[in-house]
Amino acid sequence: MTLEEYKQKKMKDPEFAQAYVEVQPEMNIIRALVDARTSQNLTQKELSERTGIAQTEISRLENGTRNPSIKLLQRLADGMGMVLNVSFSPKKSVQ
């Protein structure tokens, strides 16, 4: 069974599906941070040196054990020479 097949099977459970939806904003931030860092071929250590944020803190952000503030995300964006964008989008209705 692939990961996607397993996810689809689990999504049939309403409690799992609800928990999955609730965690998506956090996962999107983590994914965006990791994608931005790796797109520039930066290690966590290099990003740490650029931002003054401890490498252990960057690791915690990327593995989801720490929730970042907007200020911290801005420092990370600055360290990567990027602009931080935050947006609100309409929810997709579940059929």
Side-chain angles (χ1 to χ4, degrees):
M1 178 180 296
T2 67
L3 179 58
E4 185 60 29
E5 290 169 340
Y6 179 76
K7 177 185 151 193
Q8 292 306 317
K9 180 180 176 185
K10 292 295 286 180
M11 290 298 279
K12 293 176 184 174
D13 174 357
E15 287 182 35
F16 177 88
Q18 180 63 31
Y20 184 86
V21 168
E22 290 172 2
V23 77
Q24 284 314 293
E26 294 164 19
M27 295 305 297
N28 291 341
I29 290 170
I30 292 168
R31 195 171 301 112
L33 174 57
V34 172
D35 288 348
R37 180 178 61 75
T38 58
S39 74
Q40 295 189 5
N41 296 314
L42 290 173
T43 64
Q44 290 179 350
K45 184 174 191 259
E46 290 167 330
L47 183 55
S48 171
E49 291 166 355
R50 288 186 180 192
T51 60
I53 299 167
Q55 182 273 325
T56 55
E57 283 299 301
I58 294 171
S59 176
R60 288 182 186 120
L61 291 169
E62 290 186 1
N63 70 30
T65 57
R66 184 177 190 284
N67 287 322
S69 65
I70 297 296
K71 185 175 181 177
L72 185 60
L73 291 173
Q74 184 60 56
R75 283 178 61 194
L76 291 163
D78 289 343
M80 293 183 282
M82 296 183 158
V83 174
L84 174 65
N85 291 311
V86 177
S87 65
F88 292 87
S89 303
K91 290 183 178 181
K92 296 176 184 169
S93 61
V94 179
Q95 302 291 330

